[in-house]
Amino acid sequence: MLTDKRILLIIAGGIAAYKALDLIRRLRERGAFVRAVMTRNATEFVTPLAVGALASERAYTDLFSLDDESDIGHIRLARDADLVVVAPATANLVAKMAHGIADDLASTVLLATDLPILIAPAMNVRMWLHPATQANMALLRDRGVAVVDPETGAMAENETGPGRLAEPPNIVASVEALLSGANRPLAGRRALVTSGPTHEPIDPVRYIANRSSGKQGHAIAAALARLGAETVLVSGPTQEPPPNGVRLIPVETAREMLAACEAALPADIAVCAAAVADWRAGEEAGQKLKKTGGAPPSLALTENPDILATLSAPGSARPALVVGFAAETESVIDHAVAKRARKGCDWIVANDVSAAAGTFGGDSNSVHLITEAGAESWPALSKKDVGERLAARIADHFQATT
Ligand code: CTP
């Protein structure tokens, strides 16, 4: 429920603006006080009269309106709420937010506010996928702006793809999650998570890689951040969108991943979920290797640094809790118990990555948690749920030990 929560809803101008009416209704049904600011373009799609009728008070539209300023003023609009929600957020408003442009009431309020912000983008698929929009979104996520990603589906212009405004119930769920600040047991803790594969170059066009999707590592980082941890996610190349409220450091190779992890210390928690390549080409060719008609070239491999073992090594910078993963294809628990001892980490999450288990690239995971107390088998869960359960266990651990 959102009883007594105050929400400032900013409605930008896109066809999805009509869904803002449903969003206002649902937020109010849950007990929220909703005040709305509309951009000029938004008023072309829905009327301020309709928005004002559903919201808790009339809609605000104009930065230079004497009425609006004497009623409340743009600075108070920017302060007097628990959360600012931008829905729909157009490509234009996202760009203005990313670059600090304040040229109307909505963008001025967004620049003047220091409240948490949640944005629900909606735009044509090409505008969403444009590198400019993606770079702007990355900037906003980096600054801690929460995002309800657009959904994929048919759009107004007879095109299909990502860009449709998330359905209002999903936006309401994100609002509730952000405002249920009570459940942040990891607030004040720092977490470091590795995710995805690494790419180890052979020459300028070829590399050694593996099938890791990054889904599990990203889900863990998202869950730790939701519980309040200040979370750094060091990730190899993946298709996964960066989670809300997490600082993403993209890397390619194992050595870059190690350097980024060491730079992110100190941390209270380290979770190494990346499928780091064990080996790299001993020598990276400066030019593309060419067929010569003779014997194919042989590849001499060199071992990569072990990030988990490095972070687990005793020392003042060792995180209080280091969690590793064990990707095994047979004798899963036995191998994981041995791996925990060998790497020196505190816990190991063991999973079966044999082809039959469908873990790599799939959405679910059957894992065993190995701690000093022994092995505990979890039921098959989605990767998101494994992330949540692991983050909850980490929070319990810190509550029990401090
Ligand atoms: N890991 C790491 N750096 C490496 C290799 C692995 O940080 N260079 C971490 C992984 O992120 C994971 C754990 O070590 O948390 C175990 O990875 P896994 O691939 O299962 O083990 P390996 O070290 O490759 O051991 P083995 O070859 O015995 O399977």
Side-chain angles (χ1 to χ4, degrees):
M1 290 302 278
L2 294 167
T3 320
D4 297 332
K5 297 293 181 194
R6 298 175 73 81
I7 292 168
L8 180 68
L9 175 66
I10 295 189
I11 307 171
I15 181 65
Y18 79 91
K19 287 193 190 170
L21 297 175
D22 186 30
L23 178 61
I24 295 171
R25 188 180 59 79
R26 286 170 188 274
L27 291 169
R28 293 211 55 204
E29 266 171 14
R30 305 189 82 72
F33 175 93
V34 182
R35 180 179 274 156
V37 169
M38 303 174 71
T39 65
R40 182 178 301 277
N41 287 344
T43 65
E44 302 283 342
F45 290 93
V46 281
T47 67
L49 197 61
V51 169
L54 289 173
S56 307
E57 54 184 44
R58 70 183 184 81
Y60 297 84
T61 53
D62 194 352
L63 181 57
F64 299 110
S65 146
L66 269 182
D67 280 354
D68 286 5
E69 279 298 310
S70 59
D71 269 10
I72 178 156
H74 64 277
I75 296 298
R76 233 184 85 209
L77 273 176
R79 301 268 191 283
D80 183 22
D82 297 297
L83 179 70
V84 180
V85 178
V86 189
T90 53
N92 186 46
L93 190 53
V94 164
K96 286 198 217 174
M97 287 176 75
H99 299 284
I101 294 170
D103 62 358
D104 63 1
L105 181 61
S107 53
T108 303
V109 166
L110 284 163
L111 191 61
T113 190
D114 47 15
L115 296 170
I117 302 176
L118 172 72
I119 69 172
M123 63 196 75
N124 170 272
V125 53
R126 285 162 220 266
M127 293 170 83
W128 172 249
L129 295 176
H130 194 286
T133 304
Q134 289 300 312
N136 289 336
M137 289 299 301
L139 267 176
L140 295 180
R141 285 186 153 111
D142 230 34
R143 282 184 209 141
V145 170
V147 181
V148 193
D149 276 311
E151 291 172 7
T152 297
M155 314 191 96
E157 307 85 354
N158 278 333
E159 285 184 286
T160 350
R164 247 168 60 161
L165 183 68
E167 288 304 323
N170 297 342
I171 302 175
V172 172
S174 295
V175 168
E176 287 185 320
L178 278 170
L179 289 176
S180 64
N183 192 22
R184 290 169 69 82
L186 290 174
R189 307 261 176 209
R190 289 169 57 92
L192 165 64
V193 180
T194 70
S195 184
T198 62
H199 285 184
E200 309 294 335
I202 296 170
D203 67 15
V205 294
R206 304 180 178 95
Y207 56 82
I208 303 170
N210 60 61
R211 295 183 191 281
S212 167
S213 64
K215 283 184 179 156
Q216 187 60 80
H218 279 52
I220 294 166
L224 288 168
R226 270 196 296 276
L227 294 191
E230 190 186 327
T231 306
V232 175
L233 174 62
V234 180
S235 176
T238 77
Q239 301 290 320
E240 282 299 287
N244 279 334
V246 162
R247 186 152 72 87
L248 174 73
I249 304 183
V251 296
E252 294 230 334
T253 67
R255 284 176 297 170
E256 285 169 11
M257 188 173 273
L258 176 62
C261 287
E262 288 182 323
L265 294 176
D268 304 285
I269 303 150
V271 181
C272 292
V276 183
D278 288 321
W279 303 283
R280 65 176 183 274
E283 243 172 74
E284 184 190 341
Q287 304 299 331
K288 184 182 171 196
L289 297 174
K290 304 293 283 180
K291 289 193 290 289
T292 58
S298 60
L299 200 58
L301 298 176
T302 303
E303 197 164 319
N304 266 330
D306 191 315
I307 298 160
L308 175 61
T310 309
L311 293 174
S312 300
S316 56
R318 187 193 192 278
L321 183 69
V322 182
V323 183
F325 269 69
E328 307 292 348
T329 55
E330 51 168 358
S331 313
V332 176
I333 294 182
D334 289 350
H335 281 161
V337 169
K339 201 167 272 182
R340 173 174 174 267
R342 197 166 68 243
K343 304 247 185 179
C345 57
D346 302 296
W347 298 355
I348 283 257
V349 181
N351 55 5
D352 185 346
V353 291
S354 59
T359 303
F360 267 133
D363 283 320
S364 78
N365 213 350
S366 289
V367 307
H368 314 273
L369 180 67
I370 320 280
T371 67
E372 67 284 6
E376 178 188 307
S377 298
W378 291 0
L381 295 169
S382 68
K383 289 183 175 173
K384 180 168 177 283
D385 288 345
V386 169
E388 259 155 29
R389 195 155 164 171
L390 183 64
R393 281 296 292 266
I394 291 172
D396 288 349
H397 169 82
F398 279 97
Q399 250 149 18
T401 55
T402 48

